[in-house]
C-alpha cells in the first residue's frame, strides 16, 4: 500500500510545487543547481558555516573586549593546547570583561574582583562547569554537576567530613605520610642524585596524591594502588584542560584520562566496600571515608528507631541526618575530592618549597616557632588549634596562596542569559570565567602585590581583605576543604623546616609560571634535600 511521503496533505504538496515552479519561472534556480558541482556545493556550505560562525561570535561579543574576528571554527585553539600565563594575564588586564571563542564555546572572562564575586554569587544565572570530557571522566551523575537544592542538600551531608574534630583525626595520617616522603626526598637527593639538584615538581605531585589518598581512604588502599594513581593522575589533569577536543578519540589525552579515571573510581569503590564492612563490625573511624560511613550508619540506626515507634530524645538525634550512599556514589565523591585537591595542593606545595629556599629568613622564623611549639622535640605532634597559632607558618602559607594562587580561574556556564553589567549580557550556554589572580594581586588590598611579604598577614591588614581573598572561591560553591588545605600546608612546611635542609637551583624559568590546570614554576623546581642536623 503506497504511503504519502509528506506529513502534509496532497493539496498542500501541490501548492508548494506550484510556488516553486512560479519562483523558478526563468529556470534560475535549476540553472544554479545544475551548474554547481559537488565540490562547489561543499565549498558553498563551508563558506556559509564560516560566515555564520563569525556572525555568531561578533553578535555574542557585543561591546566587550575581544578579537575583532574569530579564526573559523577552531578559534585560538592552539593557544589553549599550550596555555601561556603571560597571555592570560594580558587578557585580564585588557578590561573587566573580555572574550574568546574556541570550537563551539563562547567564553566570557571576568577580571576584576567585583566582576568575579558577582559570578561566584549568582547561582540563579550560572553553575560550575567543566570541559566536555569531564562528564565522561567524573561520570554525569556525579554530585559536582548537581545544581540548586540538590547540590545544597548533597553538600550538607559532606560538611561533617571537614569539621575541626574530623580534621584533628586526619593529622596523624598526614604526619605519617610526610615522615615517609621526607626520607624519600633525602634518599633521592643524596643517594640517587649524589647531591645534584633535580626537578621535584613530580615528586611533590606524588607526595600530595599519597597524602590525599591516605587522608580520604586510610589504609584501605594499597601502596601499589596509590603509586599507580600518583604516576597516572597527570593524564586526568591533561584530559581536563580548559579547552580540549570535545569528544573522546582513541589515544588522545581524553582517552588516556578516561582510562585513568576508570582505574581511580574502581579503587575508591573497593575502599568504600571495605570501610562499610569494618565499621559495621565496630571499627573506629580514622579517615574521611570512615567518618562518612559512620555518619550513614548512625543516621540509619536513628531512622530505624523512629520507624519502630520509639521516642528518641533530641539529644540522640545525629547532628546531620544523611541517606545511605552506594559504594560507587562514595567513589565518585572521593574522586571529586582528589580532583579538587591534587593539582591545587601540588602547586602550592611546589611554590612553598621553592619560595622558602629562596627566602631563608622566613624559613628560619618558621623553623624557630615550630621547634618552640613542640618544646624542642621535633617529632612531637601538634593539635589543630596549636598548629593554627603558629603565626609565621600561617603567614608564609597564606602569602604563598596569595602570591601564587593555585587556581587562577574557575569556569562557570550561563544557565540563561546573564546580565553581568548594565550594558552586557552573557548569552545562555556561554562559559563565564571569573579569575582569582587579579583580586589577589590588587595593590589597593595588598600593597606591593608582586612581592612575597608574609609579614602583611602579621602586622598588616591582609586578613581584613576578605572580598579579595578568592583563593578558595566564594558563594554557594566555595571550597569545602579550605581549612583542611591550609592546615595541611602548615603541617608540611613546619615539619620540613625541622627535619630537612634544602637548596633551590635558580634558573631563568624559576619565576616564570607554567599553566597545567593549576600553576607551577616553568622549570619544575630544581631542588636538593638533605637531613637536617640538630
Amino acid at each position: 500500500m503506497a504511503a504519502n511521503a509528506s506529513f502534509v496533505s496532497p493539496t498542500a504538496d501541490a501548492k508548494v510545487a506550484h510556488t516553486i515552479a512560479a519562483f523558478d519561472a526563468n529556470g534560475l534556480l535549476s540553472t544554479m543547481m545544475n551548474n554547481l558541482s559537488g565540490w562547489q556545493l561543499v565549498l558553498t556550505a563551508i563558506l556559509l558555516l564560516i560566515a555564520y560562525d563569525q556572525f555568531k561570535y561578533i553578535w555574542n561579543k557585543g561591546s566587550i573586549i575581544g578579537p575583532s574576528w574569530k579564526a573559523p571554527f577552531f578559534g585560538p585553539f592552539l593557544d589553549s593546547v599550550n596555555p601561556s600565563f603571560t597571555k592570560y594575564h594580558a587578557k585580564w588586564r585588557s578590561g573587566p570583561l573580555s572574550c574568546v571563542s574556541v570550537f563551539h564555546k563562547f567564553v566570557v572572562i571576568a577580571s576584576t574582583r567585583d566582576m568575579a564575586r558577582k559570578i561566584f554569587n549568582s547561582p540563579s544565572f550560572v553553575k560550575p562547569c567543566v570541559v566536555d570530557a569531564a562528564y565522561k571522566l567524573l561520570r554525569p551523575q556525579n554530585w559536582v554537576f548537581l545544581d540548586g537544592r540538590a547540590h545544597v542538600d548533597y553538600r550538607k551531608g559532606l560538611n561533617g567530613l571537614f569539621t575541626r574534630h574530623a580534621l584533628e583525626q586526619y593529622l596523624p595520617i598526614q604526619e605519617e605520610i610526610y615522615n615517609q616522603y621526607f626520607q624519600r626526598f633525602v634518599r633521592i637527593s643524596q643517594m640517587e642524585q649524589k647531591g645534584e639538584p633535580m626537578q621535584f615538581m613530580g615528586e611533590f605531585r606524588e607526595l600530595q596524591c599519597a597524602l590525599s589518598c591516605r587522608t580520604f581512604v586510610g589504609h584501605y588502599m594499597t601502596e601499589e594502588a596509590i603509586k599507580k594513581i600518583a604516576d597516572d593522575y597527570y593524564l586526568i589533569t591533561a584530559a581536563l584542560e580548559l579547552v580540549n577536543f570535545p569528544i573522546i578519540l582513541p589515544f588522545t589525552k581524553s582517552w588516556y584520562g578516561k582510562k585513568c579515571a576508570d582505574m581511580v573510581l574502581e579503587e575508591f569503590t573497593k575502599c568504600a566496600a571495605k570501610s562499610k564492612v569494618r565499621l559495621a563490625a565496630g571499627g573506629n573511624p580514622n579517615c574521611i571515608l570512615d567518618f562518612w560511613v559512620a555518619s550513614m550508619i548512625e543516621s540509619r540506626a536513628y531512622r530505624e528507631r523512629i520507624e519502630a515507634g520509639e521516642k528518641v530524645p533530641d539529644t540522640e538525634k545525629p547532628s546531620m541526618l544523611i541517606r545511605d550512599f552506594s559504594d560507587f556514589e562514595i567513589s565518585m565523591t572521593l574522586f571529586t575530592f582528589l580532583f579538587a585537591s591534587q593539582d591545587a595542593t601540588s602547586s602550592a606545595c611546589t611554590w612553598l618549597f621553592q619560595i622558602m629556599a629562596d627566602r631563608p629568613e622566613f624559613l628560619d622564623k618558621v623553623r624557630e616557632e615550630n621547634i618552640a611549639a613542640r618544646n624542642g622535640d621535633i617529632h612531637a605532634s601538634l593539635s589543630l588549634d596549636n598548629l593554627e597559632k603558629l603565626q609565621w607558618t600561617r603567614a608564609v602559607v597564606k602569602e604563598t596562596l596569595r602570591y601564587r594562587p593555585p587556581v587562577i580561574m574557575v569556569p562557570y556556564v550561563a544557565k540563561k542569559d546573564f546580565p553581568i553589567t548594565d550594558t552586557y549580557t552573557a548569552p545562555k550556554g556561554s562559559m563565564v570565567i571569573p579569575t582569582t589572580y587579579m583580586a589577589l594581586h590588587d595593590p589597593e588590598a595588598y600593597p606591593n602585590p608582586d612581592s612575597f611579604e608574609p609579614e602583611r598577614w602579621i602586622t598588616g591588614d591582609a586578613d581584613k581583605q576578605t572580598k579579595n581573598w578568592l583563593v578558595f572561591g566564594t558563594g554557594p560553591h566555595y571550597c569545602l576543604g579550605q581549612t583542611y588545605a591550609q592546615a595541611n600546608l602548615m603541617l608540611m612546611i613546619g615539619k620540613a623546616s625541622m627535619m630537612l635542609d634544602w637548596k633551590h637551583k635558580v634558573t631563568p624559568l624559576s619565576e616564570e609560571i607554567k599553566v597545567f590546570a593549576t600553576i607551577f614554576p616553568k622549570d619544575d623546581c630544581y631542588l636538593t634535600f638533605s637531613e637536617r642536623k640538630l
Side-chain angles (χ1 to χ4, degrees):
M1 179 176 172
N4 183 15
S6 173
F7 288 99
V8 294
S9 71
T11 302
D13 286 345
K15 289 180 179 178
V16 171
H18 176 74
T19 302
I20 292 175
F23 174 77
D24 198 29
N26 297 319
L28 178 62
L29 186 60
S30 301
T31 301
M32 288 177 61
M33 296 301 294
N34 290 334
N35 288 338
L36 283 175
S37 67
W39 283 111
Q40 288 173 320
L41 285 171
V42 170
L43 179 60
T44 301
I46 291 174
L47 290 174
L48 288 172
L49 288 172
I50 289 174
Y52 172 75
D53 187 50
Q54 199 68 229
F55 172 79
K56 186 177 180 183
Y57 165 70
I58 294 171
W59 179 268
N60 288 338
K61 175 179 176 292
S63 61
I64 63 175
I65 295 169
S68 57
W69 66 283
K70 172 190 176 183
F73 307 124
F74 292 94
F77 173 64
L78 294 179
D79 286 345
S80 64
V81 171
N82 185 24
S84 163
F85 178 81
T86 302
K87 290 183 178 180
Y88 279 138
H89 196 256
K91 177 69 72 174
W92 299 331
R93 290 178 62 87
S94 67
L97 290 176
S98 58
C99 68
V100 294
S101 182
V102 184
F103 289 136
H104 59 299
K105 295 288 188 184
F106 181 73
V107 183
V108 179
I109 301 163
S111 303
T112 65
R113 179 199 70 185
D114 292 339
M115 286 288 184
R117 290 185 65 86
K118 181 170 184 176
I119 294 167
F120 280 129
N121 288 292
S122 297
S124 61
F125 285 102
V126 297
K127 65 178 180 179
C129 87
V130 283
V131 295
D132 297 331
Y135 295 95
K136 300 177 179 69
L137 269 65
L138 300 176
R139 300 300 190 270
Q141 64 269 41
N142 200 303
W143 79 282
V144 295
F145 302 129
L146 297 177
D147 192 30
R149 172 54 57 185
H151 174 266
V152 171
D153 289 344
Y154 200 112
R155 189 181 177 99
K156 282 181 179 178
L158 302 177
N159 285 334
L161 307 179
F162 296 98
T163 63
R164 297 188 66 79
H165 172 70
L167 296 180
E168 194 85 47
Q169 311 307 308
Y170 308 150
L171 290 177
I173 302 174
Q174 294 165 348
E175 292 217 39
E176 174 190 335
I177 292 296
Y178 284 132
N179 289 335
Q180 175 186 339
Y181 273 83
F182 289 168
Q183 292 173 9
R184 171 185 167 87
F185 292 172
V186 172
R187 184 174 66 253
I188 291 173
S189 291
Q190 300 305 315
M191 299 182 67
E192 297 179 17
Q193 292 296 119
K194 308 300 182 184
E196 291 296 315
M198 61 169 274
Q199 293 169 311
F200 256 87
M201 191 262 274
E203 291 295 325
F204 292 142
R205 286 179 65 86
E206 181 175 334
L207 161 64
Q208 291 303 324
C209 186
L211 185 98
S212 293
C213 287
R214 282 283 177 253
T215 305
F216 298 164
V217 300
H219 287 277
Y220 296 122
M221 186 176 287
T222 65
E223 292 285 350
E224 292 76 17
I226 289 177
K227 182 68 167 66
K228 176 66 173 170
I229 293 173
D231 287 345
D232 291 354
Y233 193 86
Y234 79 95
L235 297 172
I236 297 175
T237 304
L240 296 175
E241 288 173 338
L242 183 59
V243 178
N244 214 328
F245 203 71
I247 59 175
I248 294 180
L249 297 175
F251 309 110
T252 61
K253 290 180 182 179
S254 299
W255 186 78
Y256 286 112
K258 175 67 163 55
K259 290 175 70 69
C260 182
D262 291 346
M263 179 267 293
V264 174
L265 285 167
E266 182 180 354
E267 290 297 331
F268 279 147
T269 301
K270 293 176 184 176
C271 293
K274 294 175 184 176
S275 176
K276 286 180 178 179
V277 171
R278 178 175 165 272
L279 266 67
N284 293 319
N286 58 17
C287 62
I288 284 179
L289 171 58
D290 281 348
F291 276 92
W292 195 8
V293 171
S295 184
M296 291 179 212
I297 293 173
E298 183 183 26
S299 296
R300 187 191 315 137
Y302 174 80
R303 285 194 296 269
E304 288 173 352
R305 292 172 68 185
I306 295 295
E307 290 167 3
E310 182 180 347
K311 291 185 177 181
V312 183
D314 288 342
T315 56
E316 296 182 25
K317 181 180 179 180
S319 57
M320 181 61 66
L321 272 174
I322 63 173
R323 65 176 175 87
D324 282 345
F325 291 82
S326 70
D327 294 347
F328 192 67
E329 283 182 307
I330 294 171
S331 175
M332 288 190 294
T333 303
L334 293 175
F335 188 15
T336 63
F337 289 172
L338 184 62
F339 172 61
S341 68
Q342 171 60 22
D343 290 302
T345 314
S346 297
S347 167
C349 172
T350 305
W351 287 110
L352 195 48
F353 272 104
Q354 174 171 304
I355 290 168
M356 289 297 94
D358 293 343
R359 298 164 176 81
E361 67 276 18
F362 296 130
L363 180 58
D364 288 343
K365 293 179 183 295
V366 169
R367 180 181 296 116
E368 289 169 7
E369 72 175 8
N370 272 270
I371 293 175
R374 294 169 172 84
N375 295 318
D377 180 3
I378 67 170
H379 300 294
S381 299
L382 287 182
S383 68
L384 184 62
D385 284 340
N386 288 334
L387 182 67
E388 291 178 336
K389 290 175 182 175
L390 302 177
Q391 65 171 4
W392 277 103
T393 308
R394 175 182 177 275
V396 299
V397 167
K398 295 275 283 189
E399 182 67 353
T400 298
L401 293 173
R402 185 207 65 80
Y403 177 64
R404 291 291 184 260
V407 179
I408 55 177
M409 49 193 171
V410 183
Y412 283 76
V413 65
K415 298 188 290 185
K416 55 186 176 181
D417 288 350
F418 179 18
I420 302 179
T421 70
D422 293 338
T423 58
Y424 183 74
T425 297
K428 177 183 178 180
S430 60
M431 291 180 73
V432 185
I433 304 180
T435 178
T436 63
Y437 189 90
M438 299 301 281
L440 293 163
H441 286 75
D442 180 352
E444 292 187 12
Y446 308 106
N448 302 317
D450 294 322
S451 296
F452 184 85
E453 299 179 4
E455 58 269 26
R456 75 173 83 238
W457 299 95
I458 299 174
T459 58
D461 65 352
D463 269 321
K464 297 179 181 178
Q465 309 303 324
T466 54
K467 287 189 175 182
N468 286 72
W469 183 248
L470 297 179
V471 173
F472 299 97
T474 187
H477 292 276
Y478 77 91
C479 177
L480 271 175
Q482 57 181 306
T483 302
Y484 161 79
Q486 292 175 89
N488 167 33
L489 292 169
M490 289 178 65
L491 177 67
M492 178 194 74
I493 201 62
K495 286 185 67 67
S497 72
M498 299 183 296
M499 299 174 63
L500 302 172
D501 284 320
W502 64 95
K503 296 179 181 179
H504 175 224
K505 176 187 174 183
V506 179
T507 76
L509 298 178
S510 294
E511 288 297 323
E512 296 290 318
I513 294 174
K514 171 174 68 176
V515 181
F516 184 61
T518 51
I519 63 172
F520 294 91
K522 217 169 210 179
D523 64 1
D524 288 347
C525 192
Y526 281 89
L527 296 172
T528 183
F529 287 86
S530 60
E531 186 176 352
R532 181 167 180 78
K533 305 300 181 184
L534 299 179

